[in-house]
């Protein structure tokens, strides 16, 4: 029979947090599912990173953006998911320093992912709507600079948003053995919401709606074998249209996986490790596992020997 001490995370320490109760079958099933998602996230994103890095024919502008996104997804699988699994029972055993770093990485990967999605949308918009200017407007050097700036901005943003937790990780903890990450400054919270969700998602949606309209128009023109010399957006290659469709799925999945957490945060103002928001948080993490599966429709076997984009 369990004693009151058995329910505490640290029985020998005053003000210890209590463990979250789960039935054995539920705990085993949850641990298995979450561990499987974590391993798949790491392995699949490693495969994408190795593939793009190894094959020169995959060193295109679009694939560099996918590489950056895969790196941020890999960080989720290596750093974020395992921590959340350990936190499943409601006890934080990793200390204050890791708690502060966990908050920093959480802000970082979300900001980087949104930035990469926005750059992918811009890349597809130019490729589909302005294909004649694509080789001059979108170059490897410019894409590399944009990726570096994205990571730099995201790092600065993450440091600023998590500065309190880095300096004093237990500032919002109610008991010993807890790691609560909150943004209590309403102005900063509103700024973070606008910069990392509302503004980029709105712009991504507008760009891809335009891409979708143009792609449908071009597909109809190709089927009817009609040449539109006066079209504002010249006809793009079939490979570009295919990449646009596939990357459109990536973006739609990102929006679907992200919206519940942001809506939950707005309604309940909960922390990143709040147990009531765990499902929404894991939905964001699950998107990091889904992305490399979608990439497979672009990075197909044998693509190293042909120009796919």
């Amino acid at each position: 029979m369990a004693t009151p001490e058995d329910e505490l995370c640290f029985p020998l320490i005053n003000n210890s947090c209590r463990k979250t109760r789960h039935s054995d079958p539920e705990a085993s099933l949850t641990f298995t599912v979450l561990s499987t998602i974590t391993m798949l996230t790491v392995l699949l994103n490693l495969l994408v990173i190795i593939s793009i890095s190894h094959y020169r024919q995959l060193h295109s502008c679009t694939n560099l953006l996918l590489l950056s996104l895969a790196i941020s997804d890999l960080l989720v699988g290596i750093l974020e998911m395992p921590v959340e699994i350990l936190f499943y029972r409601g006890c934080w055993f990793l200390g204050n320093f890791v708690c502060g770093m966990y908050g920093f990485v959480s802000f970082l990967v979300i900001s980087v992912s949104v930035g990469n999605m926005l750059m992918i949308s811009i890349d597809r918009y130019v490729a589909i709507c302005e294909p004649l200017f694509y080789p001059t407007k979108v170059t490897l050097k410019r894409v590399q600079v944009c990726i570096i700036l994205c990571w730099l901005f995201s790092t600065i943003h993450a440091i600023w948003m998590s500065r309190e937790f880095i300096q004093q990780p237990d500032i919002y903890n109610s008991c010993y053995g807890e790691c609560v990450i909150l943004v209590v400054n309403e102005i900063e919270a509103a700024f973070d919401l606008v910069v990392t969700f509302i503004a980029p998602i709105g712009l991504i949606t507008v760009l891809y709606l335009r891409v979708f309209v143009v792609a449908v128009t071009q597909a109809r023109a190709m089927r009817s074998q009609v040449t539109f010399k006066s079209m504002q957006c010249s006809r793009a290659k079939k490979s570009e249209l295919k990449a646009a469709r596939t990357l459109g799925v990536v973006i739609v999945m990102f929006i679907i996986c992200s919206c519940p957490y942001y809506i939950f945060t707005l309604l309940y103002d909960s922390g990143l490790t709040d147990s009531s928001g765990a499902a929404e948080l894991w939905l964001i993490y699950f998107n990091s596992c889904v992305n490399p599966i979608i990439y497979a429709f672009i990075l197909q076997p044998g693509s190293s020997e042909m120009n796919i984009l």
Side-chain angles (χ1 to χ4, degrees), residues 206-247:
V206 171
L207 288 174
Y208 245 89
L209 284 176
R210 177 60 176 161
V211 168
F212 175 76
V213 171
V214 173
V216 170
T217 302
Q218 293 175 1
R220 290 176 178 174
M222 285 186 282
R223 283 197 299 268
S224 61
Q225 296 181 350
V226 176
T227 302
F228 293 92
K229 294 183 180 179
S230 60
M231 286 178 60
Q232 182 180 358
C233 299
S234 302
R235 188 160 60 194
K237 298 179 182 179
K238 289 184 178 180
S239 59
E240 300 285 9
L241 295 174
K242 176 186 175 183
R245 289 194 299 267
T246 304
L247 294 172

Side-chain angles (χ1 to χ4, degrees), residues 23 49 121 145 158 231 239 242 252 307:
S23 62
I49 293 171
S121 300
V145 171
M231 286 178 60
S239 59
K242 176 186 175 183
V252 169
N307 295 320

Side-chain angles (χ1 to χ4, degrees), residues 104-238:
F104 166 75
V105 175
S106 297
F107 285 112
L108 174 65
V109 294
I110 291 177
S111 181
V112 169
S113 296
V114 172
N116 284 321
M117 291 294 178
L118 180 57
M119 289 189 293
I120 289 173
S121 300
I122 295 174
D123 173 81
R124 289 300 88 199
Y125 174 82
V126 177
I128 299 301
C129 296
E130 300 179 10
L132 296 180
F133 301 100
Y134 184 82
T136 56
K137 285 187 175 182
V138 183
T139 63
L140 287 176
K141 186 175 182 179
R142 288 182 179 178
V143 171
Q144 290 170 351
V145 171
C146 289
I147 291 174
I148 292 173
L149 291 177
C150 175
W151 280 87
L152 180 61
F153 170 81
S154 299
T155 301
I156 295 173
H157 173 261
I159 292 175
W160 176 258
M161 296 300 296
S162 60
R163 65 191 185 281
E164 290 185 348
F165 317 118
I166 295 176
Q167 297 172 356
Q168 192 177 352
D170 60 348
I171 186 172
Y172 299 117
N173 294 351
S174 60
C175 56
Y176 191 85
E178 192 175 35
C179 178
V180 177
I181 300 172
L182 293 173
V183 181
V184 294
N185 188 312
E186 294 182 358
I187 296 178
E188 291 182 1
F191 175 79
D192 178 64
L193 182 65
V194 172
V195 171
T196 64
F197 186 71
I198 296 178
I201 294 301
L203 184 55
I204 287 171
T205 302
V206 171
L207 288 174
Y208 245 89
L209 284 176
R210 177 60 176 161
V211 168
F212 175 76
V213 171
V214 173
V216 170
T217 302
Q218 293 175 1
R220 290 176 178 174
M222 285 186 282
R223 283 197 299 268
S224 61
Q225 296 181 350
V226 176
T227 302
F228 293 92
K229 294 183 180 179
S230 60
M231 286 178 60
Q232 182 180 358
C233 299
S234 302
R235 188 160 60 194
K237 298 179 182 179
K238 289 184 178 180

Side-chain angles (χ1 to χ4, degrees), residues 5 8-16 176:
E5 289 76 13
L8 298 177
C9 298
F10 299 91
L12 301 179
I13 298 178
N14 293 331
N15 194 33
S16 172
Y176 191 85

